Amino acid sequence: MTVKTTLQERIAIVTIDRPAQRNAVDPDTAQALYSAFLDFESNDALDVAVLSGAGGSFCAGFDLKSAGSGLADDWLAGLDIPDDWTDPASQPLPAPMGPSRLMLSKPVIAAVDGHAVAGGMELAAWCDMRVVSSDAVFGVFCRRWGVPLIDGGTVRLPRLLGQGRANDLILTGRPVGATEAQAMGLADRVTGSGQALEEALILARSLTRFPQACMRADHLSARMSGAELAVGLRLEWRSARSFWAEGRAGAARFAGGKGRGGRFDEI
């Protein structure tokens, strides 16, 4: 299993467990993440979820080896968004990375150690708060390969960071460390190396103490509407589909050994 869910009191800890791939998400992992968060949402015994990665990395994005080789073709082909999709809360749909088209009623906290890049950064942005270790790295690393943001990055980053800072990250793809991420509003809390999960659980427990109906209502009111989110995600997906071949060629270059370790000089 590449996704593990453990329960602590009223908290679900969802862990991506592909450490040899820096927790890059392949189709099976995406499906498992999607199912894990649907299960969390429907379980009345749970109030908060924490999303983390095993082995010192949060998530290196979509598994470009599977994308470049064609192994992900069937999964991606089945993810088109219907024209009448208007409410991610009541009409759940899977996304390339799994849960990023869901709009849950309960909060999800990202516990970010190591790299949260490309689709991994989009997963972190999908979460409602981000607790980040001092050695964390964010970045739209898929910029190097012509692989588009297709898990809500173009929708959520401008709202989290402001348009200018989002432009900086989306256009350059550059790496951003924990200190800068906190300054721009991407990291909500920064903790010591390797302590993101521990700190995220402390935060999660503090949220379970409150009256939940009121907290969730205020949380829902503070976010963009389901209709706004649906429109944004649909536009992002349609844009990406128009240059799919470019991204697949880039993924094949990565699978062939280019750009490892986040390098930008050989792409």
Side-chain angles (χ1 to χ4, degrees), residues 17-263:
D17 191 15
R18 301 186 79 212
Q21 294 80 25
R22 293 192 177 183
N23 299 318
V25 171
D26 63 359
D28 288 342
T29 305
Q31 292 177 38
L33 282 170
Y34 178 70
S35 296
F37 281 104
L38 285 180
D39 290 345
F40 160 69
E41 176 74 358
S42 66
N43 190 336
D44 291 337
L46 299 172
D47 294 331
V48 184
V50 174
L51 175 59
S52 67
S57 289
F58 180 72
C59 176
F62 196 77
D63 188 334
L64 293 186
K65 289 186 177 180
S66 68
S69 67
L71 292 176
D73 285 359
D74 289 344
W75 168 245
L76 295 172
L79 296 176
D80 279 341
I81 300 176
D83 290 339
D84 60 354
W85 187 60
T86 59
D87 187 3
S90 63
Q91 301 169 302
L93 290 178
M97 295 288 292
S100 53
R101 290 175 182 167
L102 295 177
M103 188 172 185
L104 304 184
S105 66
K106 307 174 189 179
V108 181
I109 302 168
V112 180
D113 286 305
H115 282 71
V117 297
M121 185 175 181
E122 292 182 282
L123 276 185
W126 171 73
C127 295
D128 301 295
M129 296 183 73
R130 285 151 293 281
V131 176
V132 174
S133 69
S134 57
D135 59 356
V137 177
F138 295 93
V140 186
F141 282 14
C142 50
R143 180 59 55 235
R144 300 171 295 169
W145 313 117
V147 174
L149 294 172
I150 49 178
D151 281 85
T154 66
V155 178
R156 295 185 176 100
L157 287 175
R159 287 164 177 80
L160 285 172
L161 312 180
Q163 190 66 58
R165 284 172 169 164
N167 289 346
D168 182 356
L169 298 189
I170 291 170
L171 292 174
T172 70
R174 67 181 179 86
V176 173
T179 300
E180 184 180 4
Q182 186 175 37
M184 64 172 53
L186 184 56
D188 297 296
R189 304 187 182 189
V190 175
T191 188
S193 177
Q195 297 178 23
L197 178 57
E198 179 182 351
E199 190 69 24
L201 287 171
I202 292 172
L203 174 59
R205 291 188 193 99
S206 76
L207 299 186
T208 65
R209 297 171 50 245
F210 301 132
Q212 293 297 301
C214 177
M215 186 183 75
R216 293 175 194 173
D218 285 349
H219 179 47
L220 177 63
S221 182
R223 289 181 283 173
M224 73 181 87
S225 72
E228 288 175 311
L229 179 60
V231 168
L233 293 176
R234 187 185 300 113
L235 289 173
E236 179 184 73
W237 180 253
R238 288 178 176 171
S239 171
R241 291 303 300 267
S242 66
F243 53 90
W244 211 249
E246 181 179 80
R248 180 159 179 179
R253 293 200 306 278
F254 174 83
K258 297 289 186 181
R260 296 301 168 84
R263 292 181 61 176

